[in-house]
Amino acid sequence: MNEVLLRSLTPSVLGILVRRGADFAAAEDAVQDALVEAVRVWPADPPRDPKGWLVTVAWRRFLDATRADTARRRREDLVEEEPAPGPAPAVDDTLQLYFLCAHPSLTPSSAVALTLRAVGGLTTRQIAQAYLVPEATMAQRISRAKRTVSGVRFDQPGDVATVLRVLYLVFNEGYSGDVDLAAEAIRLTRQLAAAIDHPEVAGLLALMLLHHARRAARTAPDGSLVPLAEQDRGRWDTESITEGVEILQTALARDRLGEFQAQAAIAALHADAPTAEETDWVQIVEWYDELARLTDNPIVRLNRAVAVGEADGPRAGLAALVALDDSLPRHAAVAAYLHERDGDLATAARLYAEAARKAPNLAERDHLTRQAARLNARGCH
């Protein structure tokens, strides 16, 4: 069973059902039922047209659910519109679905959570990690969002800012998490940039390209993480870096600074440095100051502490860290790094081990565990 194929077809099938009149929550349930049926049937009897098969089965499941619902009489006309079996139109509805999920009846945070779950393919746990909230809290938020839009006609798409937030979170999960969605996020952001002239859309596209350019160097052959300072910069994708920088410069020239442009500027400074030692950390701190002003995000301030530690010394970085909540994701890892640079190896080893226990994925946990072991070994000599 090709799970990647099923995942790639889901947005288009969902879009077809929505365009034919299904409300989003019912359409999503019908598509999920069709996917379950595909997992059961396809291994023994694979269809010649997987997408057409999914559309037909999902539509039938939607109609069955509609007939059983008290609103059956208002939807009887949909019965005659069941699409005939056969090839489905090759239309990419994914970006349209992102906008539809960002419905005005939802708060921005709920719209983002719903889109990530229904269209982006992320699990409730992954979305909760992105929002820094418990998984149960996020599950309730998504359920409320589904109830809110249940029965709503999607003729009022949401705003660009909410869609950008979704694309950003999808890219981050694809870049550093368990589900590879980074390339898909870049593809959709390119579509959006081609459709509308918006500096923050350009800023997000530049940010994605600059980060994605370093992807090949982020892991060693054995799958272990390679920190930015230790990466082989010869493996960075210079074409993507050049494109990202050009897009960013054009956006910044419009003097309508937003958070994605500021993040892209930081990424560009890293990409511009021939070596880690030549990184312009002073400018990076200045951009983090701008970013903190724009977002007041605690993760931004955590990353700023690292930059301050590089620009002004580890004790300055530790001083910047004091004002932050130590329960923040990766707080212990940042503190460990700064303590190691300050020469306090025992504290650094303890904090690396603590950070490993809290790591969001296996690769990061293994990296932090090795860091703790390395310092503990040095302390024994």
Side-chain angles (χ1 to χ4, degrees), residues 34-271:
L35 294 176
V36 171
E37 185 69 5
V39 171
R40 186 182 70 82
V41 171
W42 286 10
D45 185 20
R48 276 185 277 185
D49 177 20
K51 183 176 176 180
W53 189 98
L54 285 172
V55 169
T56 300
V57 173
W59 187 255
R60 287 172 178 163
R61 294 301 171 90
F62 166 70
L63 292 178
D64 289 344
T66 300
R67 294 187 190 101
D69 192 82
T70 57
R72 174 180 59 82
R73 292 182 181 180
R74 291 186 289 109
R75 297 172 179 162
E76 281 183 344
D77 60 313
L78 297 178
V79 175
E80 298 178 0
E81 298 179 12
E82 178 179 342
V91 177
D92 183 359
D93 301 294
T94 309
L95 190 57
Q96 179 189 11
L97 287 172
Y98 273 60
F99 274 95
L100 292 177
C101 284
H103 196 272
S105 63
L106 296 173
T107 64
S109 61
S110 294
V112 171
L114 178 61
T115 314
L116 290 172
R117 183 71 186 92
V119 189
L122 274 64
T123 65
T124 302
R125 176 184 59 80
Q126 291 166 329
I127 302 169
Q129 289 176 347
Y131 269 89
L132 311 180
V133 299
E135 184 174 348
T137 300
M138 183 53 64
Q140 292 174 356
R141 184 179 300 179
I142 293 172
S143 294
R144 285 196 301 269
K146 287 182 177 180
R147 287 196 298 270
T148 299
V149 300
S150 179
V152 168
R153 297 292 296 184
F154 286 89
D155 54 0
Q156 291 181 281
D159 66 353
V160 173
T162 302
V163 174
L164 288 179
R165 177 62 51 191
V166 176
L167 289 169
Y168 174 69
L169 291 174
V170 169
F171 176 82
N172 280 345
E173 189 59 45
Y175 190 69
S176 62
D178 302 321
V179 181
D180 187 2
L181 295 169
E184 173 69 357
I186 291 174
R187 183 183 70 84
L188 292 173
T189 306
R190 281 193 188 279
Q191 286 187 10
L192 189 56
I196 62 174
D197 184 18
H198 192 298
E200 273 294 82
V201 175
L204 180 58
L205 180 56
L207 174 63
M208 289 178 175
L209 290 170
L210 289 164
H211 276 300
H212 206 61
R214 303 199 302 256
R215 189 168 191 181
R218 292 183 70 245
T219 54
D222 63 359
S224 59
L225 289 181
V226 180
L228 177 60
E230 300 172 18
Q231 288 176 15
D232 177 1
R233 299 185 178 218
R235 299 184 65 198
W236 289 1
D237 182 350
T238 55
E239 185 175 324
S240 292
I241 290 173
T242 299
E243 182 186 4
V245 169
E246 289 176 353
I247 292 171
L248 173 63
Q249 288 174 338
T250 301
L252 290 175
R254 301 179 63 176
D255 198 23
R256 289 169 55 193
L257 183 64
E259 63 172 296
F260 295 122
Q261 295 169 72
Q263 287 192 57
I266 293 169
L269 286 167
H270 283 297

